[in-house]
Amino acid sequence: MKTSRRKPYLHRRLTALALAMMTVVGLSSCGVNTQSSSGANSSAAGTKVDTINYALWSNPSGRFNPQTYQTDYDRAIVFTVFSRLVVLDKDQGYQASLAKSYSWSDDYTTLNFELRKGVKWHDGKPLTAADVKFTYSAIADPDFPTGIPEFAKHLKGFEDYTEHKTDDLAGITVEDNYHVSFHFQTPYSGALTYFTDKPVLAEHIWKNTPVKDWNSATELLRNPVGTGPYKFVKFVDGQYVQLEANDDYYGGKPATKNFVFKVVNQDTVQTAISNGEVDIAEISDWNPSQISAYKDAGVNVIEETADGGQYLSLDTANPKLSDQRVRQALVYAIDRKSIVDSLLYGHGKVINADVQPDDPALPKDLNTYAYSKKKAQQLLSEAGWKDSDGDGILDKDGEKFTFQINFPTGNKIRELSAPIIQQNLKDIGIDATLNSADFNTTLAILQDSGRRYDGVLMGGTFRPRQFGGSNWWARWGSDGEAKTALDKVSSDVEEKSYLKSAADYLRIQNKAVPFVWLYSPNDGFAVRKQVKDFSPYTYETFVNVQQWYVTK
């Protein structure tokens, strides 16, 4: 086995080779805290309250399955109820969590996990390696309801399994209750990242439900059973999700008895957190007056590098958007810097590819599509769109260039950006209209692959070493040049080669414009001063949730 000391990951200058060589990460370096929380040992322990209230901007869909969830609102609940084999540390290095340790084979095609002993599901049944195999075999099933992830396609035996030539996926083997191995067809640079994003689920809970029915199994979806720090209690649609402490959690007994995710309107969240109805809320408005109001009320404001971005998804299968020049024109037409300056007050960055803004794989020579009405109009003209009747609206072959901007409610900045984008498009002769709905209704537009649309405003989370993810809804990249480039990225383990391959793919994406990249807002949290041990970092908000507590 290859062995090496762990070093910082990605833009902290970790090479992929060193990453692949990381092995036997034990309890002492584990991402979860195996000691009692400081709250439990504090002299102020007697003044603790028994509930933490955490604000969500939008209602979760109730899809609390760790493999099929598709919104950040469901993800928050999933990451609190379920556990992951590995998590990311502050330097974006991989840390064993539900796993006790892991190791790579000499050729980097086999990843071995040793699981912690004594871990129990919330219903008292023991977690075993069989649960791990069941979880990650399911995603290779051709009936997997959200589309087979790239991770599964890299496993040995994938084709035979997905074509029902065998009932056993050769790419996942179990030695005993505590040892499970993943075998890949080639070295796979994004393997560990997948585990940081998709927790393990219980075989005994889900095995009797066909995979094709996983997203319609409402009773199971809305009563999740995990191994995480908090147990599920209740989901009141549109209001809250109630959890209670898992006293047997392997990372230590949670410091707070109850955890409640409250659905709070962004217009009232400041009042809610100031009067104690909510303890923690993500910041939705960087207006200096709003930030000052928080601070004046004694509320702490935490700001960190973003792990996500906002974008306008384009239906590249839509005939009027199938021409690359038209899509490029849309990016030029939107004054994205103005959106960052006016709506985020500079607390964010304009983005030009599906990648974290400070990722070392981001090439410096990408087209930045600087705001230019002239360039946008030139490209549209080249694509045949002209105002032939002088009414101010572009047309082609007798068709007016109409464009409906669909956007979900719940994210204040995104809502405010919609009319700005609408006006930008009108300025170049596109008849743009707005259509708002609740988050899940808007998301359904993207989930229906057969449905045509113009544009959908949406947000996605970046994933280290993974590109083309399903949470960046693009009807593009599944074949041709982009697919070839993605395959090269995923198989490059050596850092120099990986960075070149990733940059090549990002250049292809940047040119093709599968969506209008808008901005990456800095993440921020408003936290009551009574909240203790809340310490989020990029990609990981709930990694130490068992340590959080609130004093009176």
Side-chain angles (χ1 to χ4, degrees):
M1 297 294 178
K2 294 284 184 179
T3 60
S4 173
R5 288 190 306 164
R6 178 178 58 80
K7 299 178 182 179
Y9 173 69
L10 280 180
H11 64 273
R12 303 298 185 186
R13 299 182 175 85
L14 171 68
T15 67
L17 183 58
L19 171 63
M21 294 167 64
M22 289 190 305
T23 183
V24 192
V25 182
L27 291 176
S28 62
S29 61
C30 178
V32 297
N33 186 348
T34 58
Q35 306 300 318
S36 299
S37 74
S38 60
N41 293 328
S42 171
S43 61
T47 66
K48 290 192 301 181
V49 299
D50 64 2
T51 302
I52 294 175
N53 292 295
Y54 188 104
L56 293 178
W57 294 346
S58 290
N59 188 43
S61 71
R63 188 185 291 177
F64 305 135
N65 178 308
Q67 293 298 316
T68 67
Y69 76 88
Q70 287 185 309
T71 77
D72 284 343
Y73 309 109
D74 289 329
R75 187 174 191 257
I77 286 82
V78 166
F79 273 32
T80 312
V81 172
F82 292 89
S83 303
R84 294 165 286 162
L85 290 172
V86 291
V87 297
L88 291 169
D89 64 20
K90 290 183 179 181
D91 293 321
Q92 297 181 33
Y94 297 114
Q95 295 287 304
S97 183
L98 187 57
K100 179 181 178 181
S101 64
Y102 62 86
S103 62
W104 282 97
S105 63
D106 290 347
D107 62 0
Y108 312 119
T109 61
T110 296
L111 179 58
N112 307 298
F113 287 99
E114 179 183 0
L115 304 181
R116 292 173 180 269
K117 294 182 179 180
V119 177
K120 294 182 179 180
W121 294 99
H122 293 159
D123 61 5
K125 295 184 181 299
L127 174 135
T128 71
D131 292 305
V132 177
K133 178 166 184 174
F134 172 79
T135 298
Y136 301 102
S137 293
I139 66 174
D141 192 298
D143 292 326
F144 190 67
T146 58
I148 297 176
E150 280 299 312
F151 175 90
K153 298 175 184 178
H154 289 272
L155 291 168
K156 286 186 177 179
F158 166 75
E159 291 80 6
D160 287 346
Y161 186 78
T162 195
E163 292 172 7
H164 296 304
K165 293 180 180 179
T166 177
D167 292 330
D168 185 64
L169 180 57
I172 308 176
T173 58
V174 171
E175 179 181 336
D176 55 37
N177 282 343
Y178 303 105
H179 294 85
V180 58
S181 297
F182 292 81
H183 311 279
F184 302 103
Q185 299 178 45
T186 60
Y188 180 33
S189 64
L192 283 167
T193 297
Y194 188 81
F195 294 118
T196 69
D197 199 43
K198 299 293 184 179
V200 179
L201 53 77
E203 180 181 21
H204 68 277
I205 298 291
W206 286 91
K207 67 180 180 181
N208 294 323
T209 301
V211 171
K212 65 182 178 63
D213 297 329
W214 276 15
N215 274 352
S216 58
T218 304
E219 186 65 21
L220 294 181
L221 290 170
R222 298 198 172 193
N223 292 280
V225 176
T227 58
Y230 282 91
K231 300 179 181 181
F232 180 86
V233 177
K234 182 190 299 184
F235 172 37
V236 179
D237 203 2
Q239 296 185 46
Y240 63 87
V241 176
Q242 181 180 347
L243 310 175
E244 67 179 8
N246 172 20
D247 292 347
D248 296 324
Y249 178 52
Y250 62 83
K253 178 180 177 180
T256 304
K257 180 179 180 181
N258 303 302
F259 196 102
V260 178
F261 287 98
K262 285 188 175 181
V263 180
V264 181
N265 187 298
Q266 291 183 56
D267 292 332
T268 61
V269 69
Q270 187 173 85
T271 300
I273 199 166
S274 295
N275 64 23
E277 293 177 34
V278 170
D279 299 304
I280 305 167
E282 295 180 23
I283 291 176
S284 61
D285 189 349
W286 286 106
N287 186 317
S289 65
Q290 299 289 328
I291 301 303
S292 294
Y294 276 129
K295 293 180 178 179
D296 290 344
V299 175
N300 295 322
V301 174
I302 299 174
E303 183 171 6
E304 63 185 37
T305 304
D307 63 0
Q310 296 292 317
Y311 59 97
L312 178 67
S313 176
L314 301 176
D315 183 359
T316 55
N318 184 329
K320 64 188 172 190
L321 299 176
S322 60
D323 190 319
Q324 178 175 284
R325 292 171 295 184
V326 172
R327 301 195 300 272
Q328 290 175 340
L330 296 179
V331 191
Y332 279 115
I334 298 172
D335 192 352
R336 298 173 294 154
K337 185 177 186 303
S338 178
I339 291 175
V340 170
D341 291 342
S342 63
L343 299 184
L344 296 176
Y345 298 90
H347 293 266
K349 296 179 180 179
V350 171
I351 55 176
N352 293 291
D354 170 13
V355 61
Q356 190 181 32
D358 57 358
D359 193 306
L362 179 64
K364 298 183 184 301
D365 59 352
L366 288 186
N367 186 347
T368 60
Y369 293 97
Y371 174 58
S372 173
K373 289 172 56 177
K374 181 178 179 180
K375 183 65 174 178
Q377 291 168 330
Q378 176 189 331
L379 286 167
L380 289 169
S381 178
E382 291 175 3
W385 290 95
K386 300 178 181 180
D387 181 9
S388 61
D389 57 9
D391 67 350
I393 304 299
L394 299 175
D395 57 83
K396 179 180 179 181
D397 300 329
E399 177 189 0
K400 296 291 185 182
F401 200 142
T402 60
F403 191 95
Q404 185 178 76
I405 302 169
N406 299 281
F407 66 96
T409 56
N411 181 316
K412 187 175 180 181
I413 302 302
R414 184 164 56 206
E415 291 179 37
L416 291 173
S417 73
I420 296 175
I421 295 170
Q422 178 190 31
Q423 186 59 54
N424 286 160
L425 297 185
K426 285 185 174 182
D427 289 344
I428 61 168
I430 295 176
D431 184 13
T433 58
L434 302 179
N435 180 47
S436 66
D438 67 87
F439 184 87
N440 294 314
T441 298
T442 304
L443 180 62
I445 298 172
L446 299 169
Q447 291 174 322
D448 183 355
S449 60
R451 182 172 175 176
R452 298 277 69 82
Y453 64 89
D454 296 326
V456 178
L457 281 174
M458 191 53 63
T461 303
F462 303 119
R463 300 287 186 261
R465 301 189 85 84
Q466 291 192 346
F467 304 105
S470 61
N471 67 324
W472 287 73
W473 298 91
R475 298 185 179 180
W476 167 89
S478 60
D479 54 20
E481 183 183 27
K483 177 62 165 59
T484 300
L486 270 178
D487 288 344
K488 181 70 167 62
V489 171
S490 65
S491 63
D492 272 330
V493 177
E494 194 277 321
E495 181 73 353
K496 184 176 180 181
S497 179
Y498 161 77
L499 291 176
K500 181 181 183 304
S501 298
D504 288 344
Y505 166 74
L506 292 170
R507 290 187 186 97
I508 293 170
Q509 184 193 89
N510 174 258
K511 181 179 179 180
V513 189
F515 27 65
V516 177
W517 313 276
L518 296 173
Y519 56 87
S520 180
N522 288 353
D523 291 333
F525 300 89
V527 185
R528 294 177 64 229
K529 62 182 180 181
Q530 291 88 349
V531 176
K532 311 299 179 184
D533 283 359
F534 175 73
S535 54
Y537 49 86
T538 303
Y539 291 115
E540 296 283 5
T541 298
F542 301 100
V543 71
N544 74 327
V545 66
Q546 77 277 4
Q547 298 179 27
W548 304 357
Y549 68 101
V550 182
T551 59
K552 292 183 180 179

